[in-house]
Structure formats: C-alpha cells, structure tokens
Amino acid sequence: LEKIGITSEICVLRILMDGIPPLKDKHLFIKDLSFEKVQVRIYQPKISTTGQRRGIVYLHGGVGQFGSIRAYERTCRYFARKSNSVVVSVGYRLAPEHPYPTQFEDCLTATIHFMRTAQDYGVDRSRIIICGDSSGATVTASVAQALVNRRDLPKLRAQILIYPFLQVVDFNLPSYQQNEGFPILLKERAFALGLKYLNKDLSVMEALLNGCHIPEDLQLKYRKWVSPDYIPDEFKTRGYKPSTTHPFSEEVYALIKPMLDPVISPLLAEDSTIAGLPEAFILTCEFDVLRDDGLLYKKRLEDHGIKVTWCHLQEGFHGTIFLAVFCGLIAFQSGNMGLEKIV
C-alpha cells in the first residue's frame, strides 16, 4: 500500500495497534486530561481505600511513531484494577509529525506534573512508579535518569522496564544473533523503524550492524558496560559467534553521535547517574533481540547496589505483554505470566 501511494506503513501500524476500544469499565473512573499540554488518561479504581494509593505513570511503546493511549487502554486498565493503583497513561506526541526528542520531553513533562500534583488524585507522592514497554521502556529509563538529581521533587519509588531497548553500541550481542528473524521484532525491521524515528538515513544500517560507528576511545569506555562477556553463558547456548572487527567510519559516527546520548541509550549513562536510580523491575524475553539490553542494564544497576527484580520469560517474545491484554485470541501464556509478575 505504501509503494503504490495509498497509505504509509506508520498509518497502518497505528490503525492496527489502536484496534477496537473496550467497553466501559465498571471498576474504574477514567478521565482524559492535559498535563501542561501533554494529553494523559487517568485510571482511578472505584473501590474505596483507607489511605493513599500507589501511582503508575505508563509510557507506551511503538518506536515513537505509533502506539497511543487508546492502543494501551486495556493494559492500563489491567494494571489499575489488579494493583489497585492510579495509572496515568501518557499520550506523548508521535514522530514524524513531531520529531525526536518531543517524545522524551512530553513524557518527562507529564511525569513531573503528576509527581507534583499526585495528591489531587489520591496518590502518595512517595509511591510513584514509572513504567513502559519496548521504546516506552527506553523513555522510562531515560526519564528516571533525568530525575536523579532533582531536589524539587519526591524520588521515584521504582522503574519498570518491559523488554527495553537501551543501547546503540553493539548489535551483535547473542540475543541479536539468535533472534534476528523472530517475530514480532525482526532485527532489520527494528533498525529501519528506529532510524526513521530519529530521522536518520537507512543507508547507515549496515555500518551500524557491523559496529563501524564507535571510535576507539569510546569503545574502550563502553566496553565496561556493553559486552557479550557480561551475558551469562546460559544465554549463549542457542548459538553465538564473536563479531568480526570492521574499520571505524568517521562519517557514520558523525551521523549517529546523537544516538549515543543516554536519552536514546540509557545504558550509556555515567556511573554517577546510575548510582542514583530507584529500584527496578526488568522483564526480558528469551526470543527477543532486545533481551541482552535488559540483562546488561540489570548488571549495571546491581553493580551500583540498586535492587533489581528480574523476570525472564523463557517462552516469551517481544510484544507478548501487549498481546496478553489486547485480545484473548492472540494471548500467549508467557504474556499472562509476565503481567502477573509486573503486578
């Protein structure tokens, strides 16, 4: 359809993800609001409570280009009901209409606004969690990092990262090799969407895959945090070959340098930032190219004494949590198990 000029791939993905909205929920008060011009939807349980509730800020996935409040309606309703928490779903503006870093800025703005006004929604300001899946988990990690040194706000209680994308240094980690053709996040498809999101030319894809984009001094720095050596051996049993070294390209580095910023690559944040982060829950899936990003972030946090609750879905794949609530017909056992662990 895109090739014959009828519609774009992004439009199709947006329609598919939005799906058919669910019926009215008798257990929740649901309201659309604006947090400093950022659209949000708030889910408040109707059941009475003696004290203040937990608050969850939810940042949806979709590579910054698709996904929406409507697409994640079932997900946010589920978390609000099952955990008896107030959930704020952030409808950040999407690329390409609103280029990067609008998405991060909207999410940060909405999170700060909620942290300041949480008591208006019956939420304990010391019990606010930020949560996201896929690229939403990337933004979750970067927002949590951006708040580390804020003295004018309460500290985040925790961050929940559901199969996060966290680095653009090494795309030949074991999980990238093992799962490059595994639905629904094929390696090359993920790359193409990511480059489109950042308004980068797709011609740099091969150089990125070959690791030509990191200068030697940065390679030495990043190797402390991003290396297959830090991936446990049990995750290499399905096959792994150390990648061949390719010559560095100054031209490619100049193009992708902004992608090394912690907003896109939270795994590359400095130690001083990592050390100040809140407790984390990290969910990884065995059949996901992004599996090892989560494993490496888990290690970095734990190396700095940050408590990490890790959930690994042995039969899981990228998107399984979204599908678990999107439609019962395409739910998988791994997704249902993951939802329970998150709650």
Side-chain angles (χ1 to χ4, degrees):
L1 291 174
E2 185 168 88
K3 284 177 180 176
I4 59 177
I6 292 177
T7 188
S8 69
E9 176 187 26
I10 294 300
C11 286
V12 173
L13 287 169
R14 287 177 182 177
I15 291 166
L16 288 174
M17 278 196 78
D18 278 359
I20 301 166
L23 301 172
K24 189 175 179 180
D25 194 310
K26 62 183 179 181
H27 303 291
L28 301 170
F29 294 110
I30 302 173
K31 191 172 185 180
D32 289 331
L33 293 172
S34 178
F35 282 0
E36 297 178 41
K37 297 184 179 178
V38 179
Q39 298 303 307
V40 300
R41 182 169 292 171
I42 297 188
Y43 304 82
Q44 295 174 282
K46 289 182 178 178
I47 187 171
S48 60
T49 181
T50 51
Q52 293 178 309
R53 287 189 166 89
R54 289 175 292 265
I56 302 170
V57 178
Y58 197 90
L59 310 178
H60 68 75
V63 205
Q65 299 159 92
F66 48 94
S68 63
I69 287 174
R70 172 171 160 172
Y72 280 78
E73 178 78 11
R74 290 172 174 84
T75 304
C76 291
R77 286 187 184 188
Y78 182 91
F79 289 143
R81 286 196 311 266
K82 296 292 184 179
S83 69
N84 190 23
S85 303
V86 174
V87 175
V88 177
S89 180
V90 181
Y92 57 84
R93 291 169 291 174
L94 300 175
E97 297 91 337
H98 303 279
Y100 165 83
T102 301
Q103 297 69 38
F104 166 74
E105 291 167 351
D106 282 359
C107 291
L108 181 60
T109 296
T111 302
I112 290 172
H113 183 94
F114 183 59
M115 293 175 82
R116 284 180 172 150
T117 61
Q119 289 171 320
D120 296 346
Y121 307 99
V123 169
D124 181 346
R125 297 206 315 159
S126 68
R127 298 169 76 205
I128 294 174
I129 290 169
I130 186 169
C131 173
D133 66 296
S134 192
S135 63
T138 312
V139 184
T140 295
S142 56
V143 167
Q145 291 180 3
L147 295 173
V148 162
N149 295 315
R150 294 290 294 256
R151 298 288 172 258
D152 57 326
L153 296 167
K155 283 195 170 294
L156 283 173
R157 175 63 185 86
Q159 54 181 323
I160 296 178
L161 311 179
I162 303 167
Y163 31 73
F165 168 86
L166 297 167
Q167 56 86 27
V168 294
V169 173
D170 189 344
F171 298 111
N172 283 294
L173 294 168
S175 63
Y176 276 101
Q177 291 187 18
Q178 295 162 0
N179 302 314
E180 63 179 350
F182 203 96
I184 55 176
L185 192 67
L186 310 180
K187 182 176 177 178
E188 288 201 8
R189 197 85 224 97
F191 263 84
L193 287 168
L195 289 169
K196 280 183 180 179
Y197 167 50
L198 298 167
N199 201 27
K200 303 296 178 187
D201 197 282
L202 297 186
S203 62
V204 302
M205 189 185 297
E206 189 175 349
L208 280 173
L209 292 171
N210 290 333
C212 303
H213 58 298
I214 307 291
E216 191 173 345
D217 60 327
L218 287 181
Q219 281 184 5
L220 291 170
K221 178 182 180 179
Y222 295 153
R223 205 169 289 153
K224 298 180 296 181
W225 308 326
V226 184
S227 168
D229 296 342
Y230 301 138
I231 303 299
D233 288 340
E234 65 258 34
F235 293 102
K236 298 174 183 175
T237 54
R238 289 197 289 123
Y240 167 67
K241 291 182 181 178
S243 54
T244 310
T245 305
H246 290 81
F248 167 66
S249 166
E250 186 73 50
E251 184 184 356
V252 174
Y253 173 61
L255 280 170
I256 67 89
K257 191 177 178 182
M259 297 166 68
L260 299 172
D261 187 287
V263 170
I264 290 293
S265 298
L267 191 49
L268 306 183
E270 296 297 332
D271 286 340
S272 57
T273 299
I274 297 292
L277 287 170
E279 180 179 345
F281 175 99
I282 299 175
L283 183 141
T284 55
C285 292
E286 179 61 28
F287 300 100
D288 179 9
V289 289
L290 303 183
R291 180 196 69 201
D292 294 350
D293 282 26
L295 295 179
L296 292 172
Y297 205 52
K298 172 181 178 288
K299 181 183 185 303
R300 271 211 82 188
L301 292 172
E302 289 176 336
D303 285 349
H304 286 275
I306 309 298
K307 183 183 175 184
V308 178
T309 302
W310 174 47
C311 171
H312 182 65
L313 302 177
Q314 195 60 46
E315 303 297 325
F317 58 92
H318 197 87
T320 190
I321 301 298
F322 177 77
L323 292 177
V325 292
F326 186 71
C327 175
L329 296 174
I330 50 175
F332 290 78
Q333 191 174 353
S334 62
N336 293 327
M337 188 186 304
L339 280 173
E340 289 177 21
K341 295 288 186 184
I342 293 164
V343 170

